[in-house]
Amino acid sequence: MTQESNELEQKPAVIKPIRHLLDAIERSRKKSEPTGPSTTSLEQMKAREETLLQAQVKLKEEFAGLDAEIDRLVQVIRPWFILPQAQRRPLVVS
């Protein structure tokens, strides 16, 4: 086991869904084509929305009782994930 996974095991159950969602987003970003600074195609936006919805469903299946927190987290991450070039400053999720 790595140090990161040991630290994750020690954190509250609410942190684990966040980690899973961030991992899913990172995997999706690695697979997707790099986007230019000016535009994102409608197809790319739809694909990213679908990826986010699939991650949301998966998290709700794995972590029963945290639906409201998962929904809130996805709602906060959605603009950053779907249209990252529109962000003018870093997103802070607290």
Side-chain angles (χ1 to χ4, degrees):
M1 265 197 225
T2 66
Q3 182 181 2
E4 183 177 292
S5 63
N6 286 335
E7 291 173 4
L8 188 59
E9 300 275 330
Q10 298 169 358
K11 293 185 180 181
V14 175
I15 301 298
K16 289 182 182 180
I18 295 170
R19 186 79 213 146
H20 283 288
L21 183 60
L22 293 175
D23 289 343
I25 290 170
E26 183 64 27
R27 284 191 303 272
S28 176
R29 285 208 162 205
K30 287 180 181 178
K31 291 178 187 177
S32 68
E33 299 176 32
T35 59
S38 59
T39 62
T40 298
S41 72
L42 185 58
E43 292 81 23
Q44 288 174 325
M45 291 172 57
K46 287 180 181 180
R48 288 178 183 169
E49 175 71 19
E50 183 62 33
T51 300
L52 196 57
L53 290 174
Q54 289 173 359
Q56 184 178 17
V57 169
K58 180 79 169 161
L59 287 171
K60 286 181 177 183
E61 290 173 358
E62 290 185 23
F63 299 97
L66 296 176
D67 290 359
E69 289 82 4
I70 293 169
D71 290 340
R72 186 184 72 78
L73 183 66
V74 169
Q75 180 182 5
V76 170
I77 290 175
R78 181 173 276 118
W80 166 79
F81 182 66
I82 293 176
L83 203 58
Q85 66 273 19
Q87 302 295 315
R88 294 179 186 244
R89 59 184 180 161
L91 172 68
V92 178
V93 178
S94 58

